[in-house]
Amino acid sequence: MYLGIDCGTQGTKALLIAEDGRPLGRGYAPHQLTERSNGARQQEPQWWIDALRESVKQAIAEAGSSNVVALGVSGQQHGLVVLDADLRVIRPAKLWNDTETAPENAALIERFGGAQACFERFGIVPRTGYTVSKLLWLKDHEPENFARIRHILLPHEYLNFWLTGKFYAEYGDASGTAFFDGRTRSWAAEVLSEIDGGTGHLQRALPELLTAEQIAGTLRPEVAAELGLPPTCMVSSGGGDNMMGAIGTGNVREGVVTLSLGTSSTVYSFSQQPVLDPTGNVAPFCSSSGGWLPLVCTMNATNVVTQTLTLLGKAVADIEPALAATTPGADGLCFLPFLNGERTPDLPAARGSIVGVSANNFTPSNLIRAAIEGVSFGILNGLDLILAGKPAEIILVIGGGARSAQWRQLLADATGATIQVPVETEAGCLGAAMQAIYAHSHAIGSPQNFSEIAQRCVRLEESGTAAPRQELREAYRLARDTYRHNLIHFYSVPL
């Protein structure tokens, strides 16, 4: 058996699979989240370990077996975990959706001569959610903690350290730090020197990089005993949740598009070459399967829809009738859904807006549609950037939003693409387990490639397919034009 673990914002999930991808056992444990009005969003790394323990034990109990030969860890990207010389966590981890560090991000960009200069020097334009500004924030606001740093880790790397006792990074998750150059696939020491004054303090705290063929190690004996797993169980390099979601949807070759509708929304497509965008809207990330994974992320997705439903006294089940009863564009009601600020476009301090309200269109159903359209149109603008205007033919949709048949139909009608849904909804878990298969096969001298692993492990839910209705394309084009117009008018930053 192979085990995939996905440490997200809201909780940790575990999935045990057979070598052909069949699910054998599952587990889940929630996380707490510390949020403040100034944009700070943090979690204690210990909460992740506690949730990992619980979710893995549940999965083993359901499978009725603990004979796991290898596991992989998927983690929320960009979070900062810092350890001291005694390998203790120094402070809570600042997360991907922490916008408290926006001033530090702006300061770093200015120090390097502006966004264009950052792009030319490092191949990336830092966004507030990336890891680098968290380090400068720590130096400016908690200098004593900054001085104690001896190890800099991302969430999945910290869990790998807890599992194996070893410090390693990998290219996919590292490329989301903004102190990594995706073009050369190496740490960007110059960025860290700007923060620590050239002392080398931060550079020395970085872990060694692994490729997907290499394993991070085997389980520490005490961890193996605690989890009920064999001490010979190998741990793959793992990666960020988007990179693992790519593997888990078969997005390991060019021509595949994955759109994730979770707390945040992401869209990405595998590439054999770096995809470089001087505006910074397209993140030039590496994949965790070799190659690159150009990606656009918006910080507001199912959280906006859920909050809208709660406000109206509605439930998730009310999405279906609301979308079915309304028309594209919600009769002119437009929701710019920046409740958490926004990453694409780069508006960390933005607040949301509801535009075009009239006596006729201000209904619960239209407001639900406007929220879903606002979330959808924002991420589809990102897809346009990745594809450079080329139409998508097939889009694999994952995440909580993918469960809604009407939402899937909206995406099909708005893009003209066929929307498909993988049978395994936990793509991050599945991708981590698939990467474990890949690493294990190389470790034992019988290497498999990701395409053949995906061919047997990734299955599609035929009943979830949504074909585009061409008669609605024009209506959705007009609705998207209205969204873009309001975005430009109210925020002065067209995507």
Side-chain angles (χ1 to χ4, degrees), residues 65-381:
S65 172
S66 61
N67 187 26
V68 178
V69 297
L71 69 82
V73 176
S74 164
Q76 50 182 301
Q77 285 192 259
H78 313 309
L80 176 65
V81 184
V82 284
L83 308 186
D84 63 16
D86 296 320
L87 308 184
R88 294 177 301 190
V89 174
I90 294 172
R91 69 173 320 280
K94 294 183 81 65
L95 305 183
W96 61 273
N97 55 352
D98 184 299
T99 58
E100 184 182 20
T101 66
E104 284 73 23
N105 193 69
L108 279 170
I109 292 174
E110 183 178 356
R111 287 188 197 182
F112 286 114
Q116 182 63 32
C118 285
F119 174 74
E120 292 172 357
R121 293 168 72 175
F122 313 116
I124 194 169
V125 180
R127 293 299 199 207
T128 296
Y130 295 174
T131 318
V132 68
S133 60
K134 298 173 175 62
L135 284 170
L136 182 57
W137 183 93
L138 199 59
K139 180 184 180 183
D140 290 346
H141 295 268
E142 299 178 3
E144 291 183 0
N145 283 337
F146 181 83
R148 292 172 57 199
I149 294 174
R150 293 299 179 271
H151 299 279
I152 298 171
L153 300 172
L154 297 169
H156 104 266
E157 296 164 3
Y158 176 72
L159 290 177
N160 274 1
F161 162 68
W162 181 77
L163 290 166
T164 68
K166 298 179 181 179
F167 294 107
Y168 288 112
E170 62 81 43
Y171 298 94
D173 216 2
S175 61
T177 60
F179 46 83
F180 179 94
D181 191 329
R183 300 167 302 183
T184 60
R185 302 171 80 88
S186 59
W187 296 117
E190 185 181 354
V191 177
L192 298 177
S193 292
E194 182 64 32
I195 297 173
D196 66 17
T199 64
H201 170 204
L202 298 180
Q203 178 74 12
R204 290 191 294 272
L206 295 177
E208 179 184 343
L209 288 156
L210 294 179
T211 63
E213 292 85 358
Q214 298 173 288
I215 65 166
T218 54
L219 294 178
R220 291 188 292 133
E222 58 270 35
V223 169
E226 182 177 356
L227 297 179
L229 296 175
T232 55
C233 177
M234 297 180 185
V235 179
S236 71
S237 59
D241 51 3
N242 291 305
M243 290 74 192
M244 295 298 106
I247 296 173
T249 54
N251 199 337
V252 293
R253 57 178 177 79
E254 292 189 340
V256 181
V257 173
T258 302
L259 193 158
S260 174
L261 294 170
T263 306
S264 64
S265 184
T266 53
V267 63
Y268 41 85
S269 185
F270 182 87
S271 174
Q272 292 285 4
Q273 302 295 329
V275 175
L276 304 176
D277 173 22
T279 70
N281 286 318
V282 178
F285 293 163
C286 299
S287 74
S288 293
S289 58
W292 285 262
L293 196 72
L295 176 149
V296 169
C297 175
T298 60
M299 295 180 72
N300 299 276
T302 57
N303 60 308
V304 175
V305 177
T306 300
Q307 192 164 346
T308 301
L309 292 169
T310 301
L311 179 69
L312 296 172
K314 304 286 187 179
V316 171
D318 292 305
I319 290 175
E320 304 303 288
L323 290 179
T326 52
T327 58
D331 289 331
L333 196 64
C334 180
F335 197 152
L336 300 167
F338 307 143
L339 304 190
N340 288 327
E342 191 46 271
R343 174 162 145 184
T344 309
D346 189 23
L347 299 166
R351 295 294 179 262
S353 302
I354 301 175
V355 185
V357 182
S358 73
N360 295 324
N361 68 15
F362 197 44
T363 66
S365 291
N366 270 332
L367 188 55
I368 292 169
R369 172 176 276 275
I372 291 173
E373 286 188 344
V375 167
S376 301
F377 294 167
I379 196 61
L380 292 181
N381 285 347

Side-chain angles (χ1 to χ4, degrees), residues 394-409:
I394 296 175
I395 302 174
L396 292 159
V397 182
I398 59 175
R403 300 189 186 103
S404 166
Q406 286 288 337
W407 197 340
R408 297 195 302 269
Q409 189 62 57

Side-chain angles (χ1 to χ4, degrees), residues 1-2 17-23 69 247-250 252 423-424 430 433-442 444 446-460:
M1 293 191 300
Y2 297 87
I17 65 169
E19 190 159 355
D20 63 1
R22 287 180 297 112
V69 297
I247 296 173
T249 54
V252 293
V423 170
E424 180 51 63
L430 178 59
M434 289 166 61
Q435 193 201 56
I437 294 174
Y438 179 83
H440 179 257
S441 74
H442 282 75
I444 64 174
S446 300
Q448 303 175 38
N449 64 51
F450 275 108
S451 291
E452 60 191 21
I453 295 171
Q455 190 171 7
R456 69 172 184 266
C457 290
V458 180
R459 301 175 177 87
L460 298 177

